[in-house]
């Protein structure tokens, strides 16, 4: 994985595997939330395996041992690494079934591992490697048996997944709701929101149908564009990312603002990460930056 944004609370990574991970992996620094933008396969965990597909969020708590086995060559995953635990948001008077029913969350069922070893030991016999990340440093442990050969687990800590197709957005016919209504997961000092297909504000002829102009005073705003027609942005396609730092005003592009009343349905999937503390661009960010993005608000 290649890291492109980070602060002390979270880090964002891109991962485009061509084959299975070369070893098992355990993050001792925080919880991992993987978003499957493209691809499908199996992720083995020490709670059991989970099959995944396009549009899945996969939450792997701190200390979970896991390994991805993609089934094809075209894969693109977004990793949102949290220094704290992921929790579901409180929906207040809407009730716990709002946005998505917790009953659609899929958890693994323990079973013996069906995957092979990660290498051979000095004696030529199979061995299984686990890479453990702690304070950004990786340490490898080697075992003569598969640590994920499990028969069961107990407790209320486990890995789980949610597909964006199971999300039912909260909408209003007469008022453009703020992005916070789309919050999917909550962690310390940041949230993950999901924009899913939804009807636009057609109940009032004067209701704004595109995002407000705003300055992000309290949060850095990162949006990963997954699929669909991103109406409020021009020249934005799947797998692209926008990052709007705190205090920098922005809003819909001129064409979207002018044509907002011609749209009755927002056909889009996107993942938004809002962070209380400012993010910093690292590693891969400079290599994929669209330098002229700031000019995209100029009228044509």
């Amino acid at each position: 994985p290649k890291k492109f944004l980070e602060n002390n609370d979270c880090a964002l990574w891109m991962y485009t595997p061509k084959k299975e991970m070369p070893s098992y992996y355990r993050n001792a620094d925080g919880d991992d939330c993987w978003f499957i933008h493209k691809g499908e396969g199996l992720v083995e965990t020490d709670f059991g395996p989970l099959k995944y597909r396009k549009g899945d969020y996969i939450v792997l708590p701190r200390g979970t041992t896991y390994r991805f086995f993609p089934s094809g060559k075209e894969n693109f995953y977004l990793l949102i690494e949290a220094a704290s635990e992921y929790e579901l948001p409180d929906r207040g008077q809407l009730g716990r079934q709002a946005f998505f029913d917790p009953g659609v969350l899929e958890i693994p069922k323990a079973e013996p591992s069906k995957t092979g070893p990660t290498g051979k030991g000095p004696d030529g016999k199979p061995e299984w490697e686990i890479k453990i990340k702690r304070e950004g440093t990786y340490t490898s442990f080697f075992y003569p048996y598969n640590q994920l050969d499990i028969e069961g687990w107990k407790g209320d800590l486990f890995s789980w997944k949610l597909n964006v197709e199971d999300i039912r957005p909260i909408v209003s016919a007469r008022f453009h709701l703020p992005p916070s209504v789309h919050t999917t997961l909550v962690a310390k000092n940041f949230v993950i929101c999901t924009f899913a297909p939804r009807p636009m504000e057609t109940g009032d002829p004067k209701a704004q149908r595109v995002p407000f102009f705003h300055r992000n005073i309290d949060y850095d705003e990162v949006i990963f564009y997954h699929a669909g027609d991103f109406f409020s942005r021009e020249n934005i396609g799947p797998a692209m990312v926008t990052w709007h730092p705190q205090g920098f005003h922005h809003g819909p592009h001129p064409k979207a603002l002018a044509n907002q009343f011609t749209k009755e349905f927002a056909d889009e999937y996107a993942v938004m990460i809002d962070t209380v503390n400012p993010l910093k661009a690292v590693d891969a960010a400079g290599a994929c930056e669209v330098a002229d993005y700031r000019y995209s608000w100029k009228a044509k």
Side-chain angles (χ1 to χ4, degrees):
K2 297 184 182 298
K3 183 164 52 176
F4 61 98
L5 291 172
E6 72 172 352
N7 60 23
N8 290 333
D9 305 308
C10 65
L12 308 184
W13 308 68
M14 294 176 288
Y15 188 39
T16 56
K18 302 298 182 183
K19 58 182 180 179
E20 69 270 12
M21 291 169 63
S23 65
Y24 287 99
Y25 174 71
R26 181 187 304 157
N27 189 350
D29 285 336
D31 285 21
D32 287 340
C33 176
W34 291 87
F35 179 74
I36 309 302
H37 169 63
K38 183 185 295 185
E40 59 184 22
L42 178 81
V43 56
E44 276 198 341
T45 80
D46 43 14
F47 299 100
L50 282 170
K51 291 183 179 180
Y52 63 87
R53 62 185 177 93
K54 177 181 176 179
D56 275 339
Y57 286 105
I58 305 172
V59 177
L60 301 164
R62 180 199 307 257
T64 301
T65 302
Y66 64 90
R67 187 180 175 198
F68 278 99
F69 293 85
S71 60
K73 299 295 185 182
E74 293 294 322
N75 302 284
F76 192 114
Y77 310 159
L78 172 69
L79 169 59
I80 308 163
E81 179 187 10
S84 58
E85 295 182 11
Y86 281 111
E87 298 178 350
L88 299 182
D90 181 6
R91 293 298 178 193
Q93 64 181 358
L94 292 175
R96 64 191 301 267
Q97 273 72 38
F99 201 45
F100 60 85
D101 188 330
V104 303
L105 301 181
E106 185 175 335
I107 65 175
K109 180 180 179 181
E111 61 180 51
S113 172
K114 296 182 175 65
T115 58
T118 57
K120 292 184 178 181
D123 57 2
K125 294 182 179 180
E127 69 178 8
W128 284 260
E129 179 185 6
I130 299 178
K131 283 187 182 294
I132 299 175
K133 176 174 173 285
R134 179 59 180 159
E135 294 187 331
T137 300
Y138 298 87
T139 303
S140 289
F141 287 74
F142 298 88
Y143 294 87
Y145 58 90
N146 193 333
Q147 288 261 301
L148 271 64
D149 259 341
I150 54 174
E151 295 185 354
W153 54 270
K154 297 197 302 183
D156 54 8
L157 178 72
F158 44 79
S159 52
W160 55 270
K161 70 171 186 174
L162 168 71
N163 193 276
V164 292
E165 293 178 0
D166 290 320
I167 291 175
R168 303 292 183 262
I170 299 167
V171 299
S172 169
R174 301 184 64 195
F175 176 69
H176 187 81
L177 297 172
S180 55
V181 77
H182 302 292
T183 301
T184 310
L185 290 169
V186 178
K188 184 178 180 181
N189 291 331
F190 77 95
V191 298
I192 299 176
C193 304
T194 306
F195 299 115
R198 60 201 181 276
M200 303 191 83
E201 298 77 5
T202 57
D204 186 328
K206 296 183 179 180
Q208 185 166 324
R209 300 184 188 182
V210 289
F212 310 109
F213 286 97
H214 55 289
R215 301 176 186 171
N216 286 13
I217 294 301
D218 295 317
Y219 295 90
D220 268 24
E221 175 194 291
V222 177
I223 300 181
F224 176 86
Y225 298 88
H226 173 51
D229 177 17
F230 309 112
F231 174 54
S232 65
R233 291 280 179 272
E234 292 183 68
N235 302 317
I236 292 292
M240 296 183 74
V241 173
T242 56
W243 170 32
H244 299 134
Q246 296 173 26
F248 284 63
H249 53 278
H250 66 283
H253 284 160
K255 184 178 178 180
L257 185 63
N259 297 331
Q260 63 174 310
F261 297 113
T262 67
K263 301 283 285 188
E264 295 186 353
F265 192 82
D267 184 18
E268 64 179 5
Y269 281 109
V271 177
M272 184 173 76
I273 302 98
D274 275 6
T275 68
V276 172
N277 294 312
L279 291 160
K280 294 182 179 179
V282 294
D283 299 345
C288 59
E289 180 184 8
V290 178
D292 291 337
Y293 174 68
R294 62 188 181 276
Y295 296 123
S296 59
W297 280 272
K298 292 181 68 175
K300 298 294 191 293

